[in-house]
Amino acid sequence: MKAHDGLYIDGAWRPAAGEGVIEVVNPVDEQVIGRVPAGDAADVDTAVRAARAALPAWAATPPAARAARLAALRDVLAARKDEIAETVTAELGSPLPFSQLVHAGVPIAVAGSYAELAATLPFEEKVGNSVVHQEPVGVVGAITPWNYPLHQIVAKVAPALAAGCTVVLKPAENTPLTAQLFAEAADEAGLPAGVFNLVTGLGPVAGQALAEHPDVDLVSFTGSTAVGKRIGAVAGGAVKRVALELGGKSANVILPSADLAKAVGVGVANVMSNSGQTCSAWTRMLVHTDQYDEAVELAVAAAAKYGERIGPVVSARQQERVRGYIEKGVEEGARLVAGGPESPRDKGWFVSPTVFADVTPEMTIAQEEIFGPVLTILRYEDEEDALRIANGTVYGLAGAVWAGDEAEAVAFARRMDTGQVDINGGRFNPLAPFGGYKQSGVGRELGAHGLAEYLQTKSLQF
Ligand code: NAP
Ligand code: MG
């Protein structure tokens, strides 16, 4: 894998002030595949200065011209689609077809959506005797995780650039090569120097310096709730804008009238996809007591199909974390019906597709985000009980409802405390706002709502 030994700042690859190095490791065979610099606070400061210097000209660039740069960015990403997929597979470990379809495909679509939105959004509107202008918030600090490495970068950088903001990105230490590839694409797309800057580095060093930097106007973070809370506190203290996209423990509610086999099959696939490392994964399956045993059998059969196909989790640390949760589930009395804590291979950070039955709502595995291929199946007595269980966690990011009648599913979905619900297997929509109720986050990504995060209003009265 190609790795730059510099940071992309002010339109060029430059040596880092920080002397540390991050080794990038392939989760399938544990081999080092590249080394990137670990930038420090001085590097973050250099990058923020570059972003600040570039801001006035970029903010004043007509939206149609910004849209043209975003369209060019989409085209470069599309032209380098195979390379993107190979890079994500190498550093995240996801199977190549999934990397092509999702890890490369989705960000290309999202970049395209912001090229369109930048070209069509009215950046001013008349309200009575006022004209309200939508202006960029300013310099954005973006901090991203490794689980959908390019998607999470594009879901922040594309709307920020569409709005007229400039950006400093600190990507996850596990997946910096994908971030470097994105920086190359931004360069090839002809973004002016300083509009996009990349500082690879460690969270508590480069990430923290970025969140705390006084000249960053908005911090957009995706990752763990623990780090998100700290970033929210830092941003609040400095009266900075903040967007937080945190974890989830989403419910897949199968109502008695649903097509059970389909709902269980899609539900298992949803959890096992990306080795369970998806913040919106439906990790709690809720089944009516009368259909419970049949659903468990169906889930076990579905999970068995993933044994060979599933990729590893991202790191040894993540593998340990997931194992710890599986052991905890057994300790707390849940019934292990597929998988388990033992690694299915002697090399690589693999976890067996795991299913727990007889899970009760207060168990740790029904409350905390595991971020691995682990499904919990819970029993409900009636619809009110199902709703109470579905809403009974600190999270509220996504979910699903299945019913024989669409209106019945919609009525239930409207009572769920969560930001997205898929009705009878509804498809992912890259234009629909994505974000959390409760502790799943603050703010929305994607589509026009995602763009609004990077805008502030100015009213002129006449
Ligand atoms: P994380 O530590 O929250 O990482 C997310 C990003 O924040 C990374 O770029 C990370 O850098 C950075 N970061 C870490 N500490 C920071 C700090 N003090 N200040 C500023 N930035 C900081 O998440 P993780 O350790 O990769 O994963 C832990 C758990 O978080 C997972 O098991 C999962 O439950 C959850 N998670 C959720 C999502 C999601 O999409 N909602 C994504 C990933 C993880 P480093 O990469 O250097 O740590
Ligand atoms: Mg971390």
Side-chain angles (χ1 to χ4, degrees):
M1 281 290 136
K2 186 174 152 198
H4 290 274
D5 58 7
L7 307 174
Y8 184 76
I9 297 177
D10 204 15
W13 293 93
R14 301 173 195 280
E19 286 168 2
V21 169
I22 294 172
E23 288 195 332
V24 188
V25 182
N26 185 326
V28 171
D29 59 13
E30 304 178 33
Q31 297 299 304
V32 175
I33 54 169
R35 289 178 174 79
V36 304
D40 64 11
D43 293 307
V44 167
D45 187 55
T46 306
V48 172
R49 281 170 200 273
R52 176 59 59 186
L55 180 65
W58 183 246
T61 300
R66 296 201 299 261
R69 285 307 109 223
L70 284 165
L73 177 63
R74 176 208 49 213
D75 292 345
V76 175
L77 294 174
R80 300 181 69 173
K81 190 173 180 187
D82 290 341
E83 202 185 335
I84 292 167
E86 282 156 23
T87 304
V88 175
T89 287
E91 59 184 0
L92 181 64
S94 51
L96 193 58
F98 187 77
S99 295
Q100 279 160 336
L101 192 72
V102 176
H103 290 302
V106 173
I108 293 166
V110 172
S113 76
Y114 282 111
E116 234 164 83
L117 278 165
T120 53
L121 191 90
F123 282 85
E124 55 176 84
E125 98 186 282
K126 241 183 148 285
V127 179
N129 63 313
S130 305
V131 173
V132 181
H133 293 267
Q134 303 271 0
E135 299 188 342
V137 170
V139 173
V140 171
I143 301 174
T144 54
W146 40 263
N147 55 326
Y148 288 87
L150 185 60
H151 170 64
Q152 281 141 339
I153 289 171
V154 171
K156 297 185 190 310
V157 176
L161 300 185
C165 294
T166 57
V167 180
V168 176
L169 168 68
K170 202 303 280 180
E173 61 185 281
N174 297 110
T175 54
L177 301 180
T178 303
Q180 288 192 339
L181 216 165
F182 177 81
E184 285 183 9
D187 192 85
E188 260 188 77
L191 285 173
V195 167
F196 170 78
N197 307 274
L198 171 67
V199 178
T200 49
L202 302 180
V205 182
Q208 192 162 327
L210 185 57
E212 288 175 351
H213 199 291
D215 215 20
V216 167
D217 299 300
L218 183 157
V219 184
S220 179
F221 170 84
T222 299
S224 64
T225 302
V227 176
K229 281 180 178 169
R230 292 182 52 182
I231 288 179
V234 166
V239 201
K240 268 179 207 181
R241 290 270 285 265
V242 68
L244 303 172
E245 209 275 90
L246 309 177
K249 193 73 192 176
S250 295
N252 178 16
V253 181
I254 306 176
L255 295 175
S257 61
D259 177 341
L260 186 67
K262 186 174 178 205
V264 171
V266 175
V268 170
N270 177 286
V271 173
M272 301 309 164
S273 159
N274 211 36
S275 301
Q277 304 166 121
T278 304
C279 45
S280 55
W282 308 333
T283 49
R284 297 181 298 144
M285 183 181 286
L286 274 55
V287 183
H288 189 271
T289 190
D290 291 346
Q291 297 169 316
Y292 191 81
D293 293 338
E294 191 186 348
V296 170
E297 262 175 49
L298 288 164
V300 169
K305 288 193 296 192
Y306 282 86
E308 299 297 311
R309 279 194 277 152
I310 199 164
V313 295
V314 72
S315 62
R317 181 173 152 247
Q318 195 65 20
Q319 187 188 37
E320 266 318 298
R321 236 182 92 92
V322 177
R323 271 189 198 159
Y325 275 112
I326 297 174
E327 281 160 2
K328 186 101 184 166
V330 173
E331 268 168 43
E332 291 185 0
R335 179 161 56 99
L336 189 62
V337 290
E342 298 318 320
S343 178
R345 305 198 200 173
D346 40 316
K347 202 182 218 136
W349 299 311
F350 289 85
V351 177
S352 291
T354 296
V355 179
F356 277 109
D358 298 344
V359 177
T360 53
E362 72 290 348
M363 286 181 184
T364 307
I365 56 168
Q367 287 292 327
E368 295 184 13
E369 182 172 58
I370 298 173
F371 235 57
V374 183
L375 171 67
T376 65
I377 310 183
L378 295 94
R379 183 192 298 273
Y380 68 81
E381 300 295 330
D382 56 31
E383 218 170 276
E384 292 309 309
D385 192 30
L387 188 70
R388 211 162 32 240
I389 297 169
N391 288 339
T393 77
V394 297
Y395 293 115
L397 188 55
V401 183
W402 302 80
D405 172 26
E406 200 170 276
E408 186 193 351
V410 169
F412 191 96
R414 293 296 303 270
R415 300 169 74 198
M416 291 169 78
D417 302 332
T418 193
Q420 281 214 345
V421 184
D422 293 352
I423 304 295
N424 283 339
R427 280 175 303 122
F428 174 71
N429 175 2
L431 291 174
F434 181 90
Y437 280 33
K438 300 191 283 182
Q439 288 188 30
S440 285
V442 175
R444 293 292 180 269
E445 293 197 313
L446 303 180
H449 292 79
L451 179 50
E453 296 285 327
Y454 297 94
L455 293 165
Q456 56 190 345
T457 55
K458 179 182 287 170
S459 307
L460 304 184
Q461 281 63 246
F462 295 90

